[in-house]
Amino acid sequence: MTAVSEAVTSSAMRTREATVRRFALTDTIFRTATRLSAILVLVLLGGVAISLIAGSWEALSKFGFSFLTTESWNPVTENFGALAPIYGTIVTSAIAILIAVPIGIGIAVFLTELCPRPLRRPIGIAVELLAGIPSIIYGIWGLFVFAPFLQTTVQPFIISLFHGIPGLSSLFAGPPYGIGLLTSSLILAIMVLPFITSITKDVFDTVPAVLKESAYGIGCTTWEVTRRVTIPYTRVGIMGGVMLGLGRALGETMAVTFVIGNAHRISTSLFAPGTTISATIANEFTEADGELYTSSLVALGLILFIITFIILALARYMLLRIDSRTGA
Amino acid sequence: MRHFIRSAAVAIAMAAASTLSLSAAMAADISGAGATFPYPIYAKWADAYKKETGVGLNYQSIGSGGGIKQIKAKTVTFGASDAPLKGEELDGTGLAQFPMVMGGIVPVVNLEGVKPGELVLDGPTLADIFLGKITSWDDEAIKKLNPDVKLPSQAIAVVHRSDGSGTTFNFTYYLGDVSADWKSKVGVDKAVEWPVGIGAKGNEGVANNVSQTGGAIGYVEYAYAKQNKLTYTDLVNKDGKKVEPTAAAFSAAAASADWSSQPGYGVILANQAGAESWPMTSATWILVYKKPDDAAATTEALKFFAWSYAKGDDMAAELDYVPMPDAVVKSVEEMWGKDVVDANGKPLYSGM
């Protein structure tokens, strides 16, 4: 009797052991597969970085640090400098962020605090749809609709308005081409708006209701609650959203190429044509036949890679900080 | 069951056979890559050629620079470029080069009340406008050329190509030929450091920017200007004669050129002599290996080019391209017979 029961137990033990072994095996496979996927991303990123460095080596070793400080971009004499595209990239992105941040925060405040419930979803979805429009559409719209409008109405008005005022008159100097640095900044502002809005809205939702209610309870206005409670509480998260938008603005290619004027010059006027790093690469890569020319374009790509990497790393870091705070 | 296995085996065999015949058909396609400017006419020729012979063309219009890179890497049978390679580069790589078809470049303007062909410019004036020395339409230099046109006191907005292009190469070559200032300050290339103006991508980008900007001037391919009814200008040519941009004027420039003066027929047709010659005429070139690894593929390509030379003239004219003069075609075909050979030195092309 005992022998029989022992036999039964041992066979049950064996089955259990086999099951455990099987589980351990599938678990190992699963763990390895996920780890490999994660490593693949790192390998790809490293591969991109290494090939950018290798590709730009010729240009960087020839021009050295002066590549970053030279304005001239001359394919005829093969003398290349990245200053004009870097300037254009940073100026257009900065203006785009300056315009998009107040509007984006405004939309987020309206949607989380003030909007009547039935309107909340339609407006939220409309903002997110903006993010789904392909950039080439923004480019075409910018060139055919927005630029002529700016050229015939807005720019002549601003030029005559600031005429004779030192500083402002050279910042908004003509002739009104319609396309230029300011036009691409405005297009970029529209393009990054949904990123900033949706992240800001999400972090606004993390503000504990009790905080806001107490503020209202002691007689604060909506403006005061937003200004003194919501924004300070979510400051880091908003910064993260802004950085993500900035990352997008820095790398945007097609829409900018259409409306920036593609001129390798640094001009004080925001109405003047300029260029950005990605627009230059998109324009010139196909017909760049000299080794040094191609290498200089890759070096531009490397610079953009580094700038974007820094911006996105900052954004991640800031979002992490707000995550850990809300988690605690 | 056995029946099933047999039928399955038959099905597999048939599938394999059809894959084989498919890959054979694909191998017969001629592969090429390069310039975007001649793409429409190459596509049209290829379409007609396929109907006649069953041999298709796979042409990637990725730009002249890309075409040169691909033929050097031997990934295609022929490369196509709007700017000719120099003699030493041809010798170094073992490539043969010949012109395939021509076109013209025209200045286009946007001036209120000025109709196509009303305005006339000459080379030095055009160069000074693109150098930023002439900034207003009522400048003395333009007035002198156009005593009968009412010119506004309007700022000139220069529009140029932002992408590297054969059109820019030919345009800047002409400006460099007529203006020493242009040659020393800006130079000649597919992309240059423009002293003034805004850059727009492609012929269509330049055309759009010119038609939207009052007082603008730009340059586009003739076919593009004609099909979009842009306001082109006439030019004064090397002989001092005023000419209109027409197919006849482009042909005249090609006829007066000395094609044997450059290795690989690399003659730039800008500023050619002759009373009828349009000064901004341009050709586009084909590159093949003189001793190709795949002799059969190159033979097929040469057959296609010979057919296009012989039967493609009307199709070219329909798309506002200009066919090569017969004398040039004859010389090119003689060159094939002499230079383009297989591993044993036997010519790949032996007449149609």
Side-chain angles (χ1 to χ4, degrees):
Chain A
M1 187 66 200
T2 38
V4 170
S5 82
E6 259 173 23
V8 168
T9 340
S10 79
S11 98
M13 289 274 283
R14 269 204 300 280
T15 331
R16 191 176 299 159
E17 264 171 32
T19 314
V20 166
R21 264 204 304 279
R22 208 173 61 236
F23 282 175
L25 183 68
T26 49
D27 229 26
T28 316
I29 292 172
F30 183 63
R31 197 184 307 128
T32 321
T34 51
R35 187 181 297 158
L36 280 179
S37 311
I39 290 173
L40 182 70
V41 173
L42 287 180
V43 169
L44 282 176
L45 192 68
V48 169
I50 289 169
S51 50
L52 277 177
I53 292 169
S56 60
W57 190 251
E58 194 176 336
L60 293 179
S61 54
K62 174 142 199 289
F63 300 119
F65 189 70
S66 74
F67 187 70
L68 294 177
T69 55
T70 313
E71 187 186 337
S72 169
W73 181 272
N74 194 332
V76 182
T77 57
E78 298 222 305
N79 181 29
F80 299 105
L83 192 61
I86 293 176
Y87 171 82
T89 305
I90 291 174
V91 167
T92 50
S93 302
I95 297 175
I97 290 297
L98 275 182
I99 297 169
V101 166
I103 300 178
I105 292 180
I107 297 173
V109 169
F110 180 73
L111 285 179
T112 49
E113 307 284 331
L114 306 167
C115 187
R117 256 186 200 287
L119 267 182
R120 213 172 264 194
R121 276 183 65 83
I123 295 180
I125 289 171
V127 170
E128 268 157 34
L129 278 181
L130 271 185
I133 298 176
S135 65
I136 188 94
I137 306 288
Y138 281 109
I140 292 172
W141 177 76
L143 180 61
F144 287 109
V145 182
F146 197 51
F149 167 71
L150 287 177
Q151 187 188 18
T152 50
T153 55
V154 180
Q155 292 187 346
F157 170 72
I158 295 180
I159 290 169
S160 62
L161 185 68
F162 292 133
H163 186 74
I165 304 171
L168 285 177
S169 67
S170 56
L171 195 59
F172 297 103
Y177 282 124
I179 60 182
L181 286 174
L182 190 69
T183 312
S184 38
S185 305
L186 292 172
I187 296 277
L188 283 176
I190 302 171
M191 294 180 76
V192 301
L193 190 61
F195 290 82
I196 295 175
T197 306
S198 69
I199 289 186
T200 312
K201 190 165 99 31
D202 287 348
V203 294
F204 278 2
D205 283 335
T206 66
V207 180
V210 63
L211 272 185
K212 286 194 275 184
E213 279 159 14
S214 346
Y216 282 121
I218 58 170
C220 287
T221 60
T222 314
W223 161 247
E224 282 167 332
V225 172
T226 309
R227 171 78 186 77
R228 305 275 170 206
V229 178
T230 314
I231 290 182
Y233 189 86
T234 55
R235 202 175 47 227
V236 184
I238 296 174
M239 281 307 293
V242 171
M243 291 293 180
L244 282 183
L246 189 56
R248 165 110 207 237
L250 288 169
E252 179 47 46
T253 310
M254 263 350 274
V256 171
T257 307
F258 269 70
V259 295
I260 197 163
N262 305 300
H264 281 277
R265 286 190 293 276
I266 295 176
S267 162
T268 48
S269 172
L270 290 179
F271 291 161
T275 191
T276 68
I277 293 176
S278 48
T280 302
I281 298 173
N283 270 316
E284 299 183 21
F285 209 82
T286 46
E287 292 286 339
D289 40 15
E291 293 291 324
L292 192 62
Y293 195 179
T294 317
S295 177
S296 300
L297 287 170
V298 178
L300 278 184
L302 179 67
I303 293 170
L304 184 62
F305 184 76
I306 293 169
I307 296 175
T308 318
F309 192 81
I310 293 171
I311 298 283
L312 288 181
L314 275 176
R316 282 286 129 211
Y317 175 69
M318 287 176 170
L319 286 176
L320 265 183
R321 273 182 56 190
I322 195 168
D323 277 351
S324 64
R325 199 159 67 179
T326 50
Chain B
M1 187 64 196
R2 194 181 293 159
H3 177 72
F4 170 73
I5 289 172
R6 205 169 52 210
S7 63
V10 169
I12 289 167
M14 277 170 69
S18 70
T19 327
L20 276 178
S21 66
L22 193 70
S23 66
M26 277 165 72
D29 267 6
I30 304 159
S31 75
T36 48
F37 155 64
Y39 172 65
I41 184 61
Y42 290 174
K44 191 166 176 130
W45 281 340
D47 200 39
Y49 186 68
K50 181 156 191 168
K51 275 185 199 134
E52 218 175 283
T53 62
V55 179
L57 170 73
N58 174 16
Y59 183 74
Q60 312 157 22
S61 62
I62 51 172
S64 304
I68 294 169
K69 273 178 205 144
Q70 291 231 17
I71 186 70
K72 280 186 180 166
K74 300 192 179 181
T75 52
V76 289
T77 308
F78 73 90
S81 173
D82 287 342
L85 293 187
K86 292 199 177 64
E88 60 261 37
E89 202 171 355
L90 290 172
D91 293 341
T93 49
L95 285 165
Q97 175 177 271
F98 50 90
M100 199 60 221
V101 70
M102 298 179 295
I105 299 163
V106 295
V108 289
V109 297
N110 179 351
L111 278 173
E112 225 176 297
V114 174
K115 287 193 239 353
E118 258 185 18
L119 200 69
V120 59
L121 296 169
D122 62 5
T125 310
L126 198 59
D128 282 352
I129 291 174
F130 277 82
L131 275 169
K133 281 193 200 161
I134 297 177
T135 54
S136 175
W137 281 107
D138 58 355
D139 192 280
E140 280 308 317
I142 307 176
K143 267 189 185 164
K144 219 169 87 191
L145 288 163
N146 301 280
D148 303 331
V149 182
K150 208 172 143 274
L151 290 159
S153 167
Q154 192 175 11
I156 301 179
V158 169
V159 183
H160 54 76
R161 289 282 290 269
S162 62
D163 45 338
S165 104
T167 313
T168 299
F169 174 81
N170 283 295
F171 183 70
T172 54
Y173 188 95
Y174 171 64
L175 295 186
D177 211 45
V178 293
S179 156
D181 238 18
W182 183 272
K183 205 165 204 167
S184 62
K185 282 188 187 151
V186 183
V188 178
D189 212 330
K190 285 183 275 192
V192 297
E193 189 166 22
W194 298 94
V196 288
I198 50 178
K201 198 165 162 58
N203 280 308
E204 64 283 4
V206 171
N208 282 325
N209 275 292
V210 168
S211 55
Q212 275 175 18
T213 314
I217 185 168
Y219 59 93
V220 294
E221 290 293 343
Y222 168 67
Y224 203 86
K226 193 182 168 196
Q227 282 152 23
N228 293 282
K229 302 193 172 56
L230 302 174
T231 310
Y232 59 84
T233 75
D234 292 349
L235 283 175
V236 176
N237 66 15
K238 198 172 188 177
D239 287 15
K241 297 279 192 310
K242 189 188 121 178
V243 279
E244 265 187 74
T246 57
F250 305 147
S251 300
S256 32
D258 179 12
W259 288 92
S260 56
S261 66
Q262 297 287 331
Y265 304 89
V267 178
I268 312 288
L269 292 174
N271 213 22
Q272 292 291 338
E276 309 285 314
S277 298
W278 178 253
M280 293 200 293
T281 306
S282 63
T284 183
W285 285 266
I286 297 287
L287 296 159
V288 293
Y289 277 101
K290 285 181 177 169
K291 268 191 192 152
D293 297 341
D294 186 350
T298 303
T299 310
E300 284 299 326
L302 291 183
K303 274 189 198 158
F304 167 67
F305 295 135
W307 180 91
S308 305
Y309 276 146
K311 303 195 179 166
D313 289 6
D314 291 341
M315 283 180 259
E318 264 172 51
L319 292 180
D320 298 304
Y321 290 88
V322 181
M324 299 306 298
D326 291 344
V328 178
V329 171
K330 197 162 162 274
S331 157
V332 167
E333 290 182 344
E334 277 165 17
M335 182 274 286
W336 291 349
K338 224 166 55 237
D339 288 355
V340 186
V341 294
D342 65 10
N344 305 319
K346 195 170 149 287
L348 294 177
Y349 175 77
S350 49
M352 291 276 284

